[in-house]
Amino acid sequence: MAQISAGDTAFLLVSAALVLLMTPALGLFYGGMVRNKNVLGTIMHSVIMIAIISFEWVYIGYSMSFGPDVGGFIGDLSWFGLKGVGAAPSSTYATTIPHILFMIYQCMFAIITPALITGAFAERMKFGPFIIFSLLWAIVVYNPVCHWIWGSGGWLGAKGVLDFAGGLVVHLTSGAAALAAALVMGPRQGFGKRSFMPHNLPMTLLGTGLLWFGWFGFNGGSALAANGIAASAFVATHLAGMAAMASWCFMEKIKQGQATTLGAASGAIAGLATITPAAGFVSANSAIIIGLIAGVICYLAVSMKEKFGYDDSLDVVGIHGLGGFAGTIMLGIFASKAINPGGANGLLAGNPGFLATQIFGVLVVLVYAFVVSFVLFKIVDGIFGLRVSPEDEVQGLDLSQHSETAYNF
Amino acid sequence: MKKIEAIIKPFKLDDVKDALYEVGVKGMTVSEVKGHGRQKGHKEIYRGAEYVVDFIPKIKIEIIVDAEIVEQVVDTIRNAANTGKIGDGKIFVLPVDDVIRVRTGERGKDAI
């Protein structure tokens, strides 16, 4: 049996807590951007995932994602209810920390992923059907894709597709689902005619800061050990976040005359999402370039959204979807074995084959996540109805879905 | 007795308040309001999307004065609040039937 490392264990315990923090932080990030009648409903969309997905993860999610492989596609259910997952290290995953710690660390990723989707249908989704959708989505989209890439025997991982901390597994799956959500749900009442201004940008900025802080656990911890790769990932994460914040604000200055705080927040999150698949595989300089590119392309994508006419209310597609998409492909360009001998060399290191592998992985995950999410939204809509009534939408989710309001005098 | 309601630009509040004290106005009620007259709304930009905000923040001052000094007070407010640009606001003068001081029960001019 492998030896448990105290250093690795301590680091992953802290990292798991950091990743948990990102889910309520996401609630604040999104909550500040909606109108004040929907702020609690929006925060709840993120926060309740902690309960729903943790249940799912302990009983079936972890086993489906990381349990013994069935045909490269899914884990079997032999680890149902964490059977055999205890304090001893796994022989396959993170062999220097308790297996149960690896399980809870991965649980935090599973929690935040469906929470990311919620920005697409903000301000108009019924709470009950939202819970049902999210639970089913975790089972049919998150768990399989997680297994394909990170599970032992997963077919995309076996093909050489790399995803350090969840560009594909977290950001592209949720971004593709967000696109499906916006298409199935339709726009909010008055979309394109009335303004939906953010009601509390300081809340969004607070969420951004907490997300960034948590992201060090998300990406740094994905090294699964307290080592040099964790340090590389930590640095790459920070540099991509700051570079994208700068380039997004620069684009705003050029295109619209002034840089905004919402732009700074959006740019930072775009950079952090984009570096997620690449952190731990690329150099600090490459991370800065990836971040600068992320800020520009995500700004342009979000600006173009109105032309497409769909209401991805809080820009999950333009920031997380595109970030995961572009980051995974840019990993194919910038990856370097000098940073991580367990990784790969990318195009710039003379290995175009790896870029092709990454593009293949991106397309597979994009198509799978979009199609399955679309069908799932349609099914839940057909049975339960996704949208609140027009009256409830005008009244706001806080009162109509939760019988409370955020700001009382 | 008259009630004077003045809608002014928020940054002019201190000037108007000081000028009113100088002509002997002893009290006033101030509220933050939103609205627009001929001044069009302004533009705000969120993630590249432009929103026209129709209602502009303004300050509403309400004062009750003796009818004799109405003109003087109106002139004082006009002088202090005037920037010469569109959106400086409006002043309304309304009749007041009676005024009652809650603490003492005094009525009319004595209660102002």
Side-chain angles (χ1 to χ4, degrees):
Chain A
M1 194 176 82
Q3 195 70 32
I4 283 183
S5 152
D8 293 348
T9 302
F11 176 53
L12 264 292
L13 283 166
V14 172
S15 291
L18 284 170
V19 181
L20 172 72
L21 179 67
M22 293 174 74
T23 294
L26 183 70
L28 296 178
F29 177 72
Y30 283 164
M33 280 188 266
V34 298
R35 291 165 289 174
N36 59 7
K37 62 186 176 182
N38 294 316
V39 57
L40 294 175
T42 301
I43 292 174
M44 189 67 157
H45 278 164
S46 292
V47 167
I48 198 65
M49 284 300 113
I50 297 173
I52 303 299
I53 302 300
S54 297
F55 267 120
E56 182 269 335
W57 191 251
V58 163
Y59 289 104
I60 58 172
Y62 181 63
S63 194
M64 285 179 72
S65 301
F66 292 96
D69 179 64
V70 180
F73 186 77
I74 196 74
D76 69 19
L77 289 177
S78 57
W79 295 352
F80 176 87
L82 305 185
K83 193 167 145 228
V85 179
S90 155
S91 56
T92 321
Y93 307 108
T95 52
T96 59
I97 66 171
H99 191 182
I100 200 159
L101 172 54
F102 178 75
M103 182 283 299
I104 203 67
Y105 180 65
Q106 290 296 337
C107 178
M108 304 313 181
F109 286 65
I111 289 168
I112 196 171
T113 307
L116 286 167
I117 306 168
T118 66
F121 49 71
E123 305 195 294
R124 59 196 186 282
M125 181 99 165
K126 276 197 283 192
F127 189 64
F130 152 70
I131 297 289
I132 292 164
F133 169 81
S134 299
L135 181 61
L136 294 175
W137 188 87
I139 294 168
V140 298
V141 178
Y142 186 84
N143 295 345
V145 173
C146 182
H147 183 79
W148 298 351
I149 293 163
W150 290 338
S152 178
W155 73 280
L156 283 181
K159 275 194 177 297
V161 174
L162 288 182
D163 179 4
F164 191 74
L168 293 172
V169 176
V170 174
H171 294 286
L172 187 58
T173 57
S174 57
L179 182 59
L183 294 174
V184 174
M185 299 271 302
R188 289 166 290 179
Q189 282 183 47
F191 178 71
K193 292 184 215 108
R194 263 182 293 132
S195 52
F196 303 115
M197 287 192 290
H199 91 286
N200 189 340
L201 285 181
M203 182 184 280
T204 295
L205 269 288
L206 176 63
T208 304
L210 292 172
L211 278 166
W212 197 327
F213 181 68
W215 230 297
F216 291 123
F218 198 93
N219 289 359
S222 286
L224 300 172
N227 58 18
I229 293 169
S232 293
F234 191 111
V235 170
T237 300
H238 182 69
L239 295 180
M242 72 82 193
M245 178 161 74
S247 64
W248 185 300
C249 287
F250 183 71
M251 289 299 288
E252 286 189 325
K253 181 68 187 163
I254 294 175
K255 292 274 197 177
Q256 64 195 40
Q258 279 171 327
T260 66
T261 50
L262 181 56
S266 308
I269 299 302
L272 293 163
T274 306
I275 199 64
T276 294
F281 293 130
V282 298
S283 70
N285 285 312
S286 299
I288 292 175
I289 295 168
I290 289 170
L292 289 172
I293 293 171
V296 173
I297 61 174
C298 292
Y299 171 83
L300 293 174
V302 166
S303 304
M304 287 194 314
K305 175 184 69 169
E306 302 225 331
K307 298 200 179 96
F308 294 120
Y310 66 88
D311 184 12
D312 170 16
S313 310
L314 309 179
D315 295 311
V316 187
V317 179
I319 292 180
H320 294 280
L322 181 59
F325 180 92
T328 306
I329 291 174
M330 283 195 277
L331 172 59
I333 298 170
F334 291 104
S336 165
K337 280 193 170 178
I339 301 299
N340 186 340
N345 277 326
L347 183 66
L348 292 183
N351 182 15
F354 178 59
L355 176 59
T357 304
Q358 290 299 94
I359 292 172
F360 174 75
V362 164
L363 293 178
V364 167
V365 172
L366 176 64
V367 170
Y368 178 81
F370 177 79
V371 171
V372 176
S373 302
F374 191 90
V375 171
L376 190 57
F377 269 119
K378 282 286 186 193
I379 292 171
V380 176
D381 192 27
I383 299 174
F384 302 102
L386 293 171
R387 272 189 93 118
V388 296
S389 69
E391 300 94 283
D392 284 354
E393 191 176 335
V394 170
Q395 189 177 50
L397 300 184
D398 295 5
L399 201 54
S400 72
Q401 304 298 300
H402 305 291
S403 298
E404 52 187 351
T405 51
Y407 305 103
N408 294 297
F409 294 101
Chain B
M1 290 173 296
K2 299 285 185 186
K3 178 182 191 187
I4 297 172
E5 277 188 16
I7 311 287
I8 62 167
K9 286 185 168 165
F11 80 102
K12 280 290 184 182
L13 175 61
D14 281 341
D15 293 347
V16 171
K17 182 189 70 181
D18 293 344
L20 286 171
Y21 289 160
E22 276 173 26
V23 299
V25 171
K26 295 192 184 71
M28 66 187 73
T29 304
V30 173
S31 23
E32 294 180 31
V33 294
K34 284 185 177 184
H36 71 89
R38 288 186 203 170
Q39 183 188 16
K40 293 277 156 48
H42 63 270
K43 199 175 72 179
E44 296 184 14
I45 304 176
Y46 296 98
R47 279 187 178 160
E50 287 185 5
Y51 297 113
V52 174
V53 178
D54 293 326
F55 298 110
I56 305 154
K58 296 287 175 187
I59 293 287
K60 181 166 80 171
I61 304 173
E62 295 166 276
I63 353 171
I64 311 298
V65 297
D66 192 342
E68 290 165 21
I69 64 163
V70 165
E71 285 309 313
Q72 192 191 357
V73 170
V74 167
D75 287 346
T76 303
I77 295 174
R78 265 210 65 211
N79 288 334
N82 197 332
T83 68
K85 293 193 192 115
I86 198 162
D88 274 352
K90 288 211 170 48
I91 303 172
F92 309 104
V93 180
L94 299 84
V96 171
D97 290 341
D98 204 353
V99 177
I100 298 105
R101 178 168 278 126
V102 170
R103 175 170 54 87
T104 60
E106 289 164 282
R107 299 184 83 109
K109 276 190 204 173
D110 295 337
I112 292 176

